Amino acid sequence: MSNESYADLFCAAFSQGERAPYPYQERLACSSTWPEMLDIPTGMGKTAAVTMAWLYKRGWRRGGRNASIDEATPRRLVWCLPMRVLVEQTQKNIRGWLRNLNILGDPGEGKVSVHLLMGGEPDLKTWAEHPEEDMVLIGTQDMLLSRAMMRGYGMSRYQWPIHFALLHNDCLWAFDEVQLMGAGLTASAQLEAFRRKFLIAKSSRSIWLSATLRRDWLGTVDLADYLPDFNTLGLTDADRAQAAERLDAQKALHCADVSLAAEGNRKDGMKAYIEELSRAILKEHIPDSQTLVILNRVDRAQQLFQQIQRARTEHDDLLIHARFRPIERRRQNDKLSASATDRIIVATQAIEAGVDISSRTLFTELAPWSSLVQRFGRCNRYGEHKADNAAQVFWIDIEDDADTLPYESEALQLARKKLVGLDDVGPGKLPSIDEEPPISAVLRRKDLLDLFNTDPDLSGFDVDVSDYIRDKDAPGLQVFWRDFDLDPNKPEAQPAPERDELCPVSLHQARNFVKSGRRAWYLDNLVQKWQSLSPSSPPRSGMTLLLAATDGGYDEILGFISDGEKEVSVVEHEQDHQHGGYGDDGRSRTKIPVLLADHLGNVAGEARSLCDVVQENANADEVVRAAHWHDVGKAHEVFQQSMHRCPETPDGILAKSNCPGPIKHSRPCFRHELASALAWLAQHDDPNKPDSSIDLVAYLVAAHHGKVRMSLRAMPNETQPVPNDVRFARGVWEGDRLPALSFDGEQTNEVELKLALMELGEGEQGRSWAARTLGLLEEHGPFRLAWLETLVRLADWRASAVEQTPGGMGHG
């Protein structure tokens, strides 16, 4: 075991070893408990403090895990950030620290991996396949909170339960810059309360970070009772002495000569405002220095940047906001982190938190006081400009009759009153935060339980969680561009997007784009085709929309522009990404065929090992039993016809087939896992003696693809005639038979499948499927039930992967 001190570990993480940790950072790492709140001024290393403390408590030292693990510190560190622009910088920093410590790795290597949860195909699975490993997950509040509410934006609905389970069990949530979270702050508090009230498989906790955090902001209806026991870690005199140069930095404050008035609501008035503001910025900009301009709206920032570009054609100025694709955003970040002189950066509030830059001159539009405090931190950040009036801050008034969005007029009025009495906005000169907590929609217990059902409603839509995530503006969506003729489904459906293609846009921007008469498509998972939006189905929060490159809407320098007409350059992408639609059985199409009996035993073995390594003891028997039975329904003749559709397959009942091409069952929507669950119940359930452990195994079997969970009904496109008008659901018909099967010490009898439990109330099979699953949700709670569901799915993934490796467990 290593005797390496925290200070040594901290210095080693920074490539230059430029400084020792602040005392508060060492107290955080060496304390026996975690605080709930970290109240630290901007620029003093909150991200490093939490990340390095987490590593230290998890036993990581240079070169590996060489110290004992603090069992109160969860395996996964989740950084929840309010702005997309912060995500990639946070990832870059953390990966750099881990690399310097020689403990950065990929999932499955036994090191610490780092993952972005930002939509697109990457990292939907890789991180989730290894719940036993330490890892850092980073994402925006839109991406993370939607997944924590079982409505993950930018991902397949059938993956929702896995991400939900892994984000509520064995996680340390770090909510950074909480003053920018809006409704998301209330949601974060409520979710923490629910984790304390419901059963969970592995302990989780939250820590809220900000230079402007008030304890009462966390006093939501369900967390308020816990608030008196919350601990806050702040600065001591020793911290202040070490950071004196930063904390005593001077930043002279002036009211700019230009202001945004009601005339700015008109096109000509906005043009005049932008031109006047540009002149003021160019006048105050000091050559060989950096000037930062922060505006409240993307459209204003784009217009101002274009105006400044025309006046400074020979300079490498930058535009920073959240409406860029990752590939362009990385180029911006590279430029932003590179040292530069004589540069003007125009940005939105996306840059006001967490971005480690410093400017000599700062212009900012009027904003709520907590946001202004963060913006002031981007001027003379390190105290590098020491002469009187060397660093200047100009605030731009937004008059009461002007358009104040995205902020409320009252918040701007309060901030204006504070500014009027100040001539310096250095950290030591700022008045305290006295804003009221945000008023927003509140996620209640019933809401969370209702969200556990991942089926869309009868109209095909999902419960909208956007009100719980953002209140100033609805959470946005993502768009990407492709080259195709009139129909993106011809000759083949366009593949799913890759992360580098995705551009985040606001709901308002997306709706304006569609209203202009241009086309947009969303993927219908049920039929696995791109469907065109229409006036009756406008864009909704969380959607991923396909746009035609010829319709424009994006510029590599300016980002998304809803009225842009120039053809968009398409990001290179692979051509074979699977959509993971409802009828998809792609995991059953493999290079090496596998006998069903072998596969069932292999998955049960993986389930047993997984339960051991994550220390799942309470329900390990049910997880392993479900793994044994999860694919029994593949013995169904419909599935076996698909397995043996080519002459190359071996004889026998197969779980995996080596036939080329997609699998298309003879019955639409056929789900083998439903047949598996019905077979389990037929052999083990006694309608007169309800047994929740029998129900749990049935649920885990049915849910192992995320497609048959809380409800059981026929799908809208199950239009094939059914003999004798018997009950049917998900491609299974009442009266279907499964053959007997022996596998790994288990024996299934030949059974006739019954579907009486899809009806409401008591029936010939006893309680309905809905009654059984709701009973399980009540008994285990949403976090633990999703956890058990996830263990079965991961065991299936792992066994399937090993079966396809040379010398693995596959047939032949």
Side-chain angles (χ1 to χ4, degrees):
M1 304 297 275
S2 171
N3 293 320
E4 183 176 26
S5 71
Y6 173 75
D8 290 340
L9 180 73
F10 187 95
C11 291
F14 291 85
S15 56
Q16 305 301 320
E18 64 267 20
R19 66 168 181 84
Y22 290 118
Y24 90 86
Q25 293 172 323
E26 191 156 6
R27 293 199 310 276
L28 180 66
C30 298
S31 171
S32 60
T33 60
W34 283 94
E36 283 76 21
M37 293 176 288
L38 199 60
D39 184 8
I40 302 295
T42 185
M44 287 196 61
K46 295 188 291 293
T47 304
V50 173
T51 303
M52 296 303 299
W54 173 77
L55 287 170
Y56 192 74
K57 288 175 179 285
R58 290 293 302 169
W60 292 100
R61 302 295 186 265
R62 275 180 283 189
R65 196 198 300 275
N66 300 316
S68 59
I69 298 173
D70 171 25
E71 295 300 330
T73 299
R75 278 190 175 96
R76 286 177 289 282
L77 173 60
V78 182
W79 276 105
C80 183
L81 307 171
M83 298 290 182
R84 193 180 184 102
V85 72
L86 306 178
V87 170
E88 278 135 340
Q89 177 178 295
T90 301
Q91 181 207 32
K92 180 180 179 181
N93 290 340
I94 293 176
R95 286 181 62 87
W97 302 334
L98 296 174
R99 188 179 295 109
N100 291 337
L101 295 173
N102 196 27
I103 56 176
L104 175 66
D106 292 324
E109 294 181 350
K111 293 188 175 184
V112 183
S113 55
V114 182
H115 306 269
L116 294 186
L117 275 62
M118 294 179 66
E121 289 296 301
D123 274 339
L124 288 183
K125 266 188 53 198
T126 52
W127 70 270
E129 291 178 332
H130 296 276
E132 76 279 18
E133 291 194 354
D134 288 7
M135 56 183 62
V136 183
L137 309 177
I138 309 169
T140 63
Q141 69 187 62
D142 293 20
M143 289 297 174
L144 287 171
L145 291 179
S146 64
R147 296 175 196 216
M149 297 181 204
M150 197 73 91
R151 288 299 180 275
Y153 293 164
M155 62 181 294
S156 166
R157 69 171 60 249
Y158 310 123
Q159 300 275 355
W160 289 348
I162 295 176
H163 287 215
F164 177 87
L166 297 180
L167 288 172
H168 285 296
N169 293 283
D170 221 353
C171 281
L172 170 61
W173 280 78
F175 297 98
D176 199 10
E177 307 296 0
V178 299
Q179 77 284 348
L180 301 178
M181 289 182 66
L185 179 59
T186 301
S188 73
Q190 284 294 98
L191 289 170
E192 172 63 24
F194 295 145
R195 286 190 290 270
R196 293 172 181 235
K197 294 183 176 185
F198 286 113
L199 290 173
I200 57 176
K202 299 292 176 183
S203 64
S204 292
R205 61 183 308 119
S206 299
I207 182 169
W208 288 270
L209 299 78
S210 178
T212 56
L213 175 62
R214 282 177 46 183
R215 176 185 290 253
D216 61 330
W217 287 0
L218 301 176
T220 60
V221 61
D222 287 293
L223 194 63
D225 290 344
Y226 301 99
L227 215 56
D229 297 326
F230 275 22
N231 294 310
T232 302
L233 180 65
L235 298 185
T236 63
D237 290 343
D239 292 295
R240 295 186 184 92
Q242 186 171 328
E245 196 168 74
R246 289 184 180 225
L247 297 178
D248 296 337
Q250 295 184 7
K251 308 174 187 185
L253 180 68
H254 314 276
C255 180
D257 293 333
V258 57
S259 64
L260 180 61
E263 289 78 10
N265 298 334
R266 303 192 311 268
K267 189 173 182 179
D268 59 341
M270 178 55 62
K271 183 174 183 292
Y273 168 70
I274 294 297
E275 290 174 348
E276 188 178 1
L277 178 56
S278 176
R279 288 192 293 270
I281 293 165
L282 294 172
K283 176 184 175 184
E284 298 297 340
H285 173 68
I286 299 171
D288 297 327
S289 75
Q290 182 160 275
T291 293
L292 174 62
V293 186
I294 305 178
L295 305 186
N296 298 344
R297 297 270 291 272
V298 172
D299 55 350
R300 290 205 290 266
Q302 289 171 328
Q303 293 176 55
L304 177 64
F305 181 74
Q306 289 175 290
Q307 187 73 26
I308 289 175
Q309 265 196 320
R310 286 190 284 268
R312 289 167 50 87
T313 56
E314 302 300 319
H315 294 81
D316 195 17
D317 296 328
L318 282 176
L319 173 65
I320 304 293
H321 58 74
R323 310 302 183 205
F324 283 99
R325 298 181 298 198
I327 192 168
E328 281 82 32
R329 198 162 52 248
R330 283 196 294 272
R331 295 172 191 159
Q332 292 174 330
N333 289 341
D334 289 343
K335 292 180 180 179
L336 197 61
S337 58
S339 58
T341 58
D342 201 1
R343 181 168 68 180
I344 297 176
I345 300 173
V346 179
T348 63
Q349 57 267 46
I351 207 171
E352 74 185 38
V355 178
D356 193 13
I357 64 167
S358 183
S359 60
R360 184 170 180 177
T361 306
L362 170 69
F363 278 79
T364 172
E365 287 185 328
L366 185 64
W369 183 247
S370 58
S371 291
L372 288 175
V373 170
Q374 296 297 324
R375 297 181 187 191
F376 298 155
R378 272 68 205 159
C379 178
N380 201 14
R381 184 173 179 82
Y382 318 112
E384 67 272 28
H385 303 294
K386 296 179 174 59
D388 290 344
N389 296 319
Q392 307 277 342
V393 175
F394 297 85
W395 65 278
I396 306 158
D397 195 17
I398 297 180
E399 298 177 13
D400 292 341
D401 55 356
D403 181 2
T404 62
L405 291 176
Y407 302 118
E408 300 291 336
S409 178
E410 293 78 5
L412 300 191
Q413 292 170 8
L414 291 172
R416 186 188 298 121
K417 288 180 181 179
K418 291 181 183 291
L419 288 168
V420 168
L422 294 174
D423 58 12
D424 191 295
V425 287
K429 305 292 179 63
L430 296 174
S432 61
I433 303 296
D434 55 7
E435 296 174 12
E436 293 300 314
I439 298 174
S440 58
V442 179
L443 182 75
R444 300 305 306 272
R445 182 182 189 276
K446 182 181 182 303
D447 301 321
L448 183 69
L449 294 177
D450 287 346
L451 289 168
F452 195 80
N453 187 347
T454 53
D455 279 345
D457 62 27
L458 294 175
S459 64
F461 295 109
D462 291 302
V463 176
D464 185 4
V465 297
S466 61
D467 286 345
Y468 303 128
I469 296 175
R470 291 196 186 273
D471 52 6
K472 293 184 177 68
D473 189 15
L477 36 78
Q478 299 185 101
V479 299
F480 67 104
W481 290 263
R482 291 277 173 80
D483 284 320
F484 54 88
D485 291 329
L486 296 177
D487 187 348
N489 297 296
K490 295 179 180 178
E492 299 289 340
Q494 287 287 321
E498 297 180 15
R499 178 182 294 150
D500 274 356
E501 296 181 86
L502 294 171
C503 176
V505 302
S506 70
L507 191 59
H508 177 73
Q509 287 175 315
R511 288 179 173 171
N512 280 348
F513 184 90
V514 174
K515 285 179 182 177
S516 70
R518 286 172 289 181
R519 303 160 294 171
W521 291 263
Y522 68 94
L523 183 64
D524 186 332
N525 277 308
L526 187 60
V527 297
Q528 300 182 58
K529 288 186 177 181
W530 294 97
Q531 306 284 10
S532 178
L533 290 176
S534 65
S536 60
S537 61
R540 303 187 304 277
S541 295
M543 276 184 151
T544 298
L545 298 181
L546 167 62
L547 309 179
T550 52
D551 282 343
Y554 189 83
D555 182 272
E556 294 179 17
I557 302 298
L558 299 176
F560 184 83
I561 311 174
S562 58
D563 58 356
E565 297 180 356
K566 184 178 71 173
E567 183 171 345
V568 179
S569 63
V570 175
V571 176
E572 287 189 18
H573 57 277
E574 295 183 13
Q575 297 297 323
D576 59 351
H577 279 181
Q578 298 297 311
H579 296 309
Y582 190 84
D584 178 54
D585 255 320
R587 284 181 171 273
S588 299
R589 185 183 72 249
T590 56
K591 293 181 179 179
I592 302 174
V594 182
L595 292 171
L596 178 56
D598 292 341
H599 179 64
L600 296 174
N602 295 340
V603 175
E606 290 288 348
R608 193 174 293 110
S609 298
L610 191 55
C611 285
D612 288 343
V613 75
V614 299
Q615 299 175 315
E616 171 51 54
N617 300 316
N619 294 106
D621 290 345
E622 288 88 347
V623 169
V624 174
R625 204 78 194 279
H628 262 130
W629 281 73
H630 78 291
D631 271 356
V632 164
K634 286 187 173 181
H636 194 290
E637 63 176 349
V638 168
F639 195 90
Q640 288 306 304
Q641 287 171 2
S642 297
M643 293 292 95
H644 292 276
R645 66 191 185 279
C646 67
E648 293 82 4
T649 54
D651 295 334
I653 300 177
L654 296 178
K656 314 282 184 180
S657 171
N658 58 337
C659 287
I663 295 174
K664 188 173 183 179
H665 298 305
S666 59
R667 294 184 192 172
C669 301
F670 177 79
R671 296 312 313 169
H672 65 270
E673 61 267 35
L674 173 57
S676 303
L678 296 176
W680 164 263
L681 290 173
Q683 190 158 323
H684 296 90
D685 186 45
D686 183 345
N688 299 313
K689 295 180 181 179
D691 185 336
S692 66
S693 66
I694 299 296
D695 291 342
L696 179 58
V697 173
Y699 173 79
L700 298 179
V701 168
H704 83 268
H705 284 291
K707 299 177 181 181
V708 183
R709 299 183 68 251
M710 298 298 290
S711 61
L712 184 55
R713 64 172 187 257
M715 304 302 288
N717 58 335
E718 287 190 77
T719 57
Q720 186 174 352
V722 178
N724 304 318
D725 292 327
V726 297
R727 299 182 184 98
F728 63 95
R730 321 293 170 107
V732 176
W733 298 351
E734 192 160 52
D736 286 347
R737 303 189 71 84
L738 296 184
L741 186 69
S742 296
F743 55 95
D744 198 38
E746 293 264 1
Q747 173 69 47
T748 68
N749 302 324
E750 182 178 352
V751 295
E752 179 179 318
L753 304 183
K754 298 180 180 180
L755 280 166
L757 47 58
M758 68 185 290
E759 308 284 357
L760 296 178
E762 294 270 345
E764 61 182 278
Q765 289 180 277
R767 292 160 302 135
S768 68
W769 182 258
R772 293 169 191 253
T773 56
L774 288 173
L776 293 172
L777 185 58
E778 182 66 29
E779 177 183 352
H780 297 278
F783 307 134
R784 181 159 180 77
L785 187 56
W787 168 257
L788 299 175
E789 180 179 345
T790 295
L791 293 181
V792 176
R793 294 185 70 175
L794 296 187
D796 187 21
W797 291 1
R798 290 184 173 191
S800 298
V802 173
E803 289 165 351
Q804 297 305 308
T805 58
M809 302 179 288
H811 178 87

